[in-house]
Amino acid sequence: MALMPVSDALAAVLAGAEPLAEEMAALDAAFHRVLARDVAARRTQPPEAMSAMDGYAVRAADAAEVDAQLTVIGEVAAGRPFAGSVGSGEAVRIFTGGVVPAGADAVVIQEDTVAEGKRITIKEAAVTGRHIRRAGVDFSEGDVLLRQGTRLTERHLALAAGMNHPLLPVRRRPRVAILATGDELVMPGATPGPGQIVYSNGYALHALARQEGADTVDLGVAADTLEATTEGIRRARASGADILITTGGASVGDHDLVQKALRDEGTAMAFWKIAMRPGKPMMNGQLGAMRVIGLPGNPVSSYVCGFLFMVPLIRALSGQQVIHHRREHAVLGRDVGANDQREDYLRARLDMRDDGTLVALPVNHQDSSLLANLAAAQALLVRAPFAPKAEAGSPCEVLRLPA
């Protein structure tokens, strides 16, 4: 079977992926959720002209000269407006957030006045509009300030609250079930027996999925039998998973049973084997409504494929505006050799020169089992198929890994 180009494989993974159903979420539960539709302001902010400083609300014409004297006729605090209006020769004591009273068109800050009883003396001339936040300076009722597809940050939540929305329309979180396979795997903290290794793939994949806003289901580790693998796949369907991620068992050995189990359960396979390194033995298909991505067992291959394929799929199902990873331009920090027919994703550290140039330095050893190098990397350096040898300083492209 010919190896599928990475771009074609990603297109197959994303084919037909539509945003999940809309639901309402309270503000305190909407962090990092994705808006299902545009949201408009329900009020004008501020609703009236308000003071930006502590001082005195005045008519600018009355306070245009230094040493002008005005009579204080009242006080305004935030939430306690002044009922009257400011006339000629008058001023109203005002505090930050107080509604500017009728008749006033400027605020003189308290540091620029001298107060004696009910009289103030102006020490810096007033300017019309100074220190006043006009009505609607932030936004007006009906303004669409939050757009469909936005993944909500803490700043968006503050804005939504100010817009007077206690609930927001968001997409349902994608549900990702993760199933590992392999008799050689033992859990962290156990003592591995002969030929066994400590299971690590799932911890990175769960974190990667959750970071993208998905809920995850841990299906544990299935033994290398068709029955155990099939039972894990059925548990994924029973959990209501939108995505099933398997790790291991995706190659062609006698104990690599994931593809057979998936096919026996009725999975329509889109592809198997990709022209990429690390991660050639990767599968994709669909079992009913559940999308399936079969990742390699080597920990670096598993992570890189999860980053390149699982993350965009989660984003697509979440309805996010930006689905694909953004490539950045950089220069090589050292020489790299010529590439073969597979697109290469070298683990690399990043540095920024004084002139702003981004430098990508590939780690020394690129073996797909080396977790220490993966943890030390900050980016994937992308090398196209059949790319020629490139010297240090040559332009390159990188994908930043989550920080």
Side-chain angles (χ1 to χ4, degrees):
M1 181 182 295
L3 300 181
M4 177 177 281
V6 173
S7 58
D8 291 351
L10 181 56
V13 168
L14 296 176
E18 296 291 338
L20 298 174
E22 175 184 320
E23 61 187 24
M24 300 301 292
L27 283 180
D28 60 1
F31 181 58
H32 279 176
R33 302 294 296 274
V34 179
L35 278 180
R37 47 190 162 87
D38 293 349
V39 175
R42 290 177 168 175
R43 63 188 298 273
T44 295
Q45 175 68 18
E48 302 174 82
M50 294 184 174
S51 178
M53 302 289 284
D54 293 340
Y56 295 88
V58 301
R59 302 196 321 170
D62 293 341
E65 302 290 338
V66 172
D67 292 331
Q69 293 191 331
L70 303 174
T71 300
V72 179
I73 62 171
E75 179 179 290
V76 178
R80 297 202 304 271
F82 179 69
S85 63
V86 177
S88 177
E90 296 176 335
V92 169
R93 182 76 166 107
I94 195 166
F95 297 94
T96 303
V99 175
V100 177
D105 58 8
V107 170
V108 180
I109 63 174
Q110 62 187 30
E111 295 91 331
D112 293 337
T113 64
V114 175
E116 296 181 26
K118 294 291 186 180
R119 300 282 289 175
I120 59 168
T121 301
I122 302 299
K123 292 302 180 183
E124 182 170 326
V127 176
T128 300
R130 179 178 286 177
H131 305 310
I132 292 177
R133 297 181 180 127
R134 60 177 175 78
V137 67
D138 197 355
F139 52 81
S140 297
E141 183 177 355
D143 287 350
V144 177
L145 303 174
L146 294 171
R147 295 289 181 177
Q148 176 182 337
T150 299
R151 192 172 185 216
L152 296 165
T153 66
E154 69 284 355
R155 302 180 301 283
H156 294 131
L157 296 182
L159 174 58
M163 292 161 65
N164 205 24
H165 286 275
L167 302 170
L168 291 173
V170 296
R171 296 293 178 186
R172 178 174 66 78
R173 292 183 186 274
R175 192 170 179 83
V176 179
I178 299 175
L179 173 68
T181 65
D183 289 339
E184 75 278 14
L185 301 177
V186 298
M187 301 307 290
T191 301
Q196 292 186 313
I197 58 174
V198 178
Y199 173 54
S200 60
N201 295 3
Y203 297 98
L205 294 171
H206 279 283
L208 199 56
R210 289 171 184 157
Q211 183 169 261
E212 291 298 326
D215 291 328
T216 63
V217 180
D218 186 1
L219 298 175
V221 179
D224 280 328
T225 67
L226 186 60
E227 293 76 17
T229 306
T230 300
E231 193 269 339
I233 295 168
R234 290 175 179 174
R235 284 193 291 125
R237 297 191 75 181
S239 74
D242 301 292
I243 305 171
L244 168 61
I245 302 293
T246 65
T247 69
S251 193
V252 294
D254 292 342
H255 300 285
D256 295 317
L257 302 169
V258 173
Q259 185 175 178
K260 176 171 174 51
L262 287 169
R263 289 187 184 278
D264 288 351
E265 288 298 293
T267 304
M269 302 300 294
F271 66 79
W272 174 56
K273 290 189 178 182
I274 307 176
M276 66 176 287
R277 181 189 299 106
K280 180 177 76 170
M282 197 189 102
M283 300 179 295
N284 172 241
Q286 189 153 344
L287 179 54
M290 184 174 70
R291 294 170 175 271
V292 181
I293 299 177
L295 303 179
N298 275 326
V300 177
S301 302
S302 172
Y303 178 83
V304 171
C305 288
F307 176 73
L308 293 177
F309 296 97
M310 178 186 73
V311 167
L313 179 56
I314 290 172
R315 291 175 179 175
L317 295 179
S318 301
Q320 292 190 43
Q321 292 174 338
V322 178
I323 294 174
H324 297 281
H325 297 297
R326 183 172 67 90
R327 294 192 179 193
E328 296 181 59
H329 296 290
V331 298
L332 291 172
R334 65 175 177 84
D335 297 350
V336 294
N339 197 16
D340 60 14
Q341 76 273 18
R342 290 195 279 168
E343 190 161 288
D344 216 344
Y345 292 85
L346 303 176
R347 278 69 70 203
R349 297 183 179 90
L350 298 177
D351 189 25
M352 187 73 73
R353 292 178 182 167
D354 291 342
D355 64 359
T357 301
L358 186 64
V359 180
L361 182 66
V363 299
N364 288 329
H365 301 290
Q366 294 288 332
D367 188 277
S368 61
S369 67
L370 302 181
L371 279 171
N373 277 345
L374 176 64
Q378 297 160 298
L380 298 176
L381 168 59
V382 185
R383 296 274 290 155
F386 303 108
K389 177 182 177 181
E391 296 180 349
S394 300
C396 63
E397 290 187 328
V398 297
L399 300 172
R400 285 186 191 262
L401 295 173

